[in-house]
Amino acid sequence: MGDGSSIYGYQESGLGAVSNPDTSGFISCATTGCTTVHKPNAASSKINYVHIVGMYLGATGANSKVVDLTSIGHSIIESNNLTLGTGGTSFGIFGDTSTGGFDGTNTLIRHNNIGLNSSGDACVSLAGVFNAVVIEQNVCTLAPAASLGYVFKKDSSGNYPDNDEIYGNDCETSSTAFGQVCYDIIGALSITFGPNNRCEKVYNCLEFPSDGSANGIHVLDPYLSISNTAQVLPNEPATATVAIDNNGHNWLPSMHYGMNDLGGDNLIGNSGFEGWQNSTSLYYWGGVSGTNINQAGSGIYAQETSAGANPGIDTYTQGTFNVRVGDGATAGLGVNSACIQVDSTREYTLMFRVASASTSNNFRPGFRFYWDANCTEADRITTASSNARVLAPVNYDGTSNSTGNWQSTNASLTYNNGITCNCNVTGADWQVSTANAWTPTRNFGIVFRVPNAFSLSTTVTHSMRVMLLENTAAAGNFVYFDDAVLSMGPVTPDIRNAPVRDSGSSAVYGSLAVSQHLNQGATGQFAGTVALVGGTATVTFPTPFASTPVCVANDQSAIATVKVTPSASALTLTQASGTDTINWLCIGNPN
C-alpha cells in the first residue's frame, strides 16, 4: 500500500454474515496467510490517505492484526466487517507509533463491526501519536474472556493519543467475564467520549488513566447498563483529571475534576459512642484483641463519661460518652466497626477525635478489607496492602484551633506492621500532644483508597471494617476515642450516625428522639384499637415479630381490667364486659 491507496468492497456484511452471500462480487481477505492489512516497512516511512471501505477482513492466528494503522495517517476505515484470528491477543484495528515514530493523525474509524474470539483480544488499540482521531458508531463484541474494546494508551516513547473523539459506539458481549473492559483509556490526553457510547452485559465499562499525567478525560451522557458488573474498573492510582456529565441513561453521579467535593453521609453507626448495652458492651462496635475481632469489651474497652476526669471535661465532642480503649498492659487492643460496603473506585475519609492518658500513648486507625460484600473473614484481603494507600491531605491540613483538623503524614497503609490485627494500619504510630484533655486539634484524619489490585477479583475491596487501636504496652496505656466519621470523599461537617435508610431493617444506636409524632408504617403494626366481641378480640400483626413482644392494653369504655396474651404473630385480648373498645400497644425484643 502507498499514499492514496484504496480498497473497496460493495457488500458490507461479508462472507457468511448474510443468509445468501454473494461470494464473487466483493473483495475479501479471509484466507490462511492473509493475516493483516498494513504498511510494509512501517519503521522507515509513513503513508497517508488510505481508504478501506466495505470489506470483509479476517486475520488468522494468535497475536495477529486485521488492520494495522502503524505509520498510516489521514485515512478512513469505514463500514468493514472485521474478524480476529483465534489463539488470543489479536487486534481488529491496531496502531502503535513505537514503530518508526510516525504519527497517525486525522484518521476516521466508523461504522465497523468487530468481533473478538479469544482472551487478550482488542477491537481497537491505538498507542502513541494518534491525534484528532474519530471513532464513531462502531460495534465491538467482546470475547467471552478477558478482552478489550476501544483502547488508547502511550507508546514506548511516552507519547499519548491526544484530542480524540469517541462517540456513538456500542460494546457488548455474549458472556460476561472478569477482565473485560469496553473503553480502556489507560493513557491519553484530552479524550472526549461524546454522547451515546454504550456498554451492555460486560464486566467493566470504563477504565480511566493510571498515569497522573494523562489528563482531560471528558465523558458525556454514556449509556451504562445495569447489566454491567462494574461501570468503572477500579484502577489505581486514578489520578487523572476526569469529568463525567450524565443527562441520559446512566448509572454514575455527575462529577467534575475527579471526585464530588460535597461531604458524604457518615457510613459509621453509633459514631458518637453513645449507644451502650452496658458499661462494657457497645452497640455496632466489637472489641479487637490481636487477630480476633467482635469480642466482648471487658478488658479491651470500656464506657467513659465525656464530662468526667478521663479525659478532662469534654466541651468539644458530642454527647454523654466516649470509649476508653486499652487494658493498661497490652498493645494492639481496640474497637472494630460493623461491616461497611465500599466502592473501590472512590476515595474515603476517616476522621475521629482522640485524647489519651499520656503523651507517650500511641494509637493508629486500622482497616480490615474484604473482597465480598459481607465482611466474611474467609474473604479477607491480605496480599494487596500496597494498593491500600493514604492520599494527599487535600481537605484536611494543619493543627490550628481555626481548622481543628489534623492530617496523617504516614503516606501508606501497611498490613499489620507490628499490630497483630490482620488489618491495614498507618505506617507509623500517632500520638497526642497533650494528655487528659480534648482540644480542637484532636481531630485526626486520614484520606485513603481501599485495595483494588484488579488483576484478581479477590484483591478488589467490596466491604471493610474500621478499627481504632491503642498501641502501647505500658501501664496506663488508655486512649479515648469519640466522634468517628467515615465518608466517601470529604467528611460531612454534620457528625451524626450513619443515616437510617428508607428500606430494610435499620438500627438506631443510642437514644431515639422524635420531634413530632411516631407513626406506624401500617395500621395495627404495633398499636391500635379493637372492639371486643363476646368478651374477646384477636389482633393479627401485619408483620410478625421475631419473638413474642411485650404488650399493654386498656379499656376505652369503662374502668376495667384487660387480659393481654401476645404471641409473635398475634395478640389476644379478654375482658369481662364483652363489647368494650380496647387500646393496645406492643414493643418487640423485651427483656
Side-chain angles (χ1 to χ4, degrees):
M1 298 175 63
D3 282 348
S5 296
S6 298
I7 53 175
Y8 283 82
Y10 80 91
Q11 184 169 312
E12 297 177 8
S13 296
L15 188 65
V18 295
S19 57
N20 295 294
D22 183 343
T23 58
S24 61
F26 64 96
I27 304 170
S28 70
C29 175
T31 61
T32 302
C34 184
T35 59
T36 187
V37 177
H38 68 285
K39 162 66 171 68
N41 302 316
S44 60
S45 64
K46 173 192 173 184
I47 58 174
N48 293 300
Y49 310 112
V50 173
H51 293 179
I52 304 174
V53 181
M55 301 292 296
Y56 173 82
L57 303 174
T60 59
N63 305 302
S64 60
K65 309 172 186 69
V66 182
V67 176
D68 189 345
L69 292 178
T70 301
S71 299
I72 300 176
H74 298 273
S75 299
I76 297 175
I77 313 299
E78 179 178 4
S79 300
N80 300 289
N81 195 348
L82 308 180
T83 301
L84 275 64
T86 59
T89 320
S90 296
F91 301 90
I93 298 175
F94 177 87
D96 191 340
T97 57
S98 301
T99 300
F102 299 105
D103 67 85
T105 57
N106 301 106
T107 292
L108 176 62
I109 301 171
R110 68 181 179 188
H111 297 173
N112 297 286
N113 183 70
I114 309 172
L116 306 188
N117 288 305
S118 309
S119 177
D121 288 353
C123 284
V124 178
S125 179
L126 300 178
V129 189
F130 286 87
N131 300 335
V133 170
V134 175
I135 298 181
E136 171 191 352
Q137 293 185 321
N138 299 278
V139 174
C140 174
T141 304
L142 296 180
S147 51
L148 304 175
Y150 308 90
V151 183
F152 285 83
K153 58 184 179 180
K154 289 190 294 187
D155 66 12
S156 61
S157 299
N159 299 308
Y160 290 99
D162 194 356
N163 291 303
D164 300 311
E165 295 183 5
I166 308 166
Y167 60 92
N169 297 282
D170 181 66
C171 182
E172 54 188 280
T173 182
S174 61
S175 179
T176 301
F178 183 80
Q180 290 171 334
V181 184
C182 279
Y183 302 97
D184 194 30
I185 313 304
I186 55 177
L189 292 172
S190 302
I191 301 295
T192 299
F193 287 87
N196 301 321
N197 287 293
R198 178 175 178 267
C199 294
E200 186 83 30
K201 298 179 181 178
V202 296
Y203 203 93
N204 304 282
C205 182
L206 297 161
E207 180 182 12
F208 294 132
S210 58
D211 185 339
S213 61
N215 284 312
I217 313 303
H218 195 184
V219 181
L220 298 170
D221 297 339
Y223 178 89
L224 305 173
S225 171
I226 58 174
S227 64
N228 303 325
T229 303
Q231 308 298 1
V232 178
L233 186 152
N235 198 13
E236 176 65 34
T239 53
T241 302
V242 177
I244 299 179
D245 296 302
N246 289 316
N247 295 306
H249 295 284
N250 65 83
W251 299 93
L252 284 177
S254 293
M255 58 184 181
H256 289 271
Y257 305 109
M259 299 300 171
N260 193 311
D261 59 359
L262 299 177
D265 289 337
N266 187 6
L267 302 177
I268 296 179
N270 198 13
S271 58
F273 300 106
E274 297 301 305
W276 293 80
Q277 183 176 350
N278 52 57
S279 61
T280 58
S281 298
L282 262 171
Y283 291 120
Y284 184 86
W285 298 83
V288 179
S289 176
T291 60
N292 300 317
I293 64 173
N294 291 330
Q295 300 180 81
S298 180
I300 301 174
Y301 69 85
Q303 181 189 81
E304 286 289 344
T305 303
S306 295
N310 294 315
I313 299 300
D314 180 4
T315 59
Y316 294 101
T317 63
Q318 65 166 359
T320 304
F321 301 110
N322 58 67
V323 59
R324 186 189 77 180
V325 170
D327 66 354
T330 308
L333 300 183
V335 291
N336 68 269
S337 74
C339 188
I340 303 166
Q341 281 70 46
V342 297
D343 180 346
S344 57
T345 68
R346 306 298 295 273
E347 67 181 43
Y348 287 84
T349 303
L350 173 68
M351 293 200 75
F352 53 92
R353 292 184 53 75
V354 63
S356 73
S358 168
T359 56
S360 62
N361 284 358
N362 300 323
F363 63 93
R364 300 191 198 190
F367 308 94
R368 186 174 287 189
F369 301 114
Y370 304 85
W371 57 266
D372 75 331
N374 301 308
C375 295
T376 305
E377 287 300 299
D379 297 337
R380 187 165 62 238
I381 295 176
T382 60
T383 58
S385 59
S386 62
N387 289 292
R389 64 191 64 194
V390 176
L391 303 182
V394 176
N395 300 295
Y396 309 103
D397 198 5
T399 58
S400 70
N401 289 355
S402 60
T403 62
N405 294 321
W406 188 89
Q407 164 67 35
S408 168
T409 57
N410 302 311
S412 66
L413 288 177
T414 305
Y415 190 73
N416 286 351
N417 198 19
I419 300 177
T420 57
C421 61
N422 275 343
C423 66
N424 291 72
V425 295
T426 49
D429 285 325
W430 296 1
Q431 293 177 319
V432 296
S433 57
T434 328
N436 287 318
W438 297 100
T439 67
T441 58
R442 295 300 177 84
N443 291 344
F444 288 81
I446 178 171
V447 183
F448 65 98
R449 287 188 185 278
V450 303
N452 54 9
F454 208 76
S455 58
L456 295 172
S457 61
T458 55
T459 57
V460 178
T461 304
H462 292 93
S463 61
M464 60 174 280
R465 297 181 189 272
V466 171
M467 301 188 182
L468 299 174
L469 305 165
E470 191 279 333
N471 196 38
T472 308
N477 58 319
F478 299 117
V479 174
Y480 305 88
F481 293 106
D482 207 352
D483 296 352
V485 184
L486 175 71
S487 292
M488 183 186 292
V491 297
T492 171
D494 188 4
I495 302 176
R496 296 184 298 177
N497 293 339
V500 178
R501 301 300 182 185
D502 61 359
S503 62
S505 298
S506 299
V508 175
Y509 301 98
S511 300
L512 175 65
V514 180
S515 61
Q516 295 184 20
H517 307 289
L518 180 64
N519 297 315
Q520 302 179 93
T523 300
Q525 187 66 59
F526 58 82
T529 61
V530 64
L532 300 175
V533 177
T536 186
T538 299
V539 176
T540 300
F541 304 128
T543 301
F545 289 86
S547 58
T548 301
V550 61
C551 299
V552 294
N554 68 280
D555 193 323
Q556 271 191 14
S557 305
I559 300 174
T561 302
V562 181
K563 180 182 179 182
V564 180
T565 309
S567 69
S569 59
L571 169 67
T572 300
L573 303 169
T574 307
Q575 209 268 358
S577 64
T579 60
D580 287 358
T581 297
I582 308 299
N583 298 331
W584 62 271
L585 173 68
C586 294
I587 301 294
N589 297 331
N591 304 320

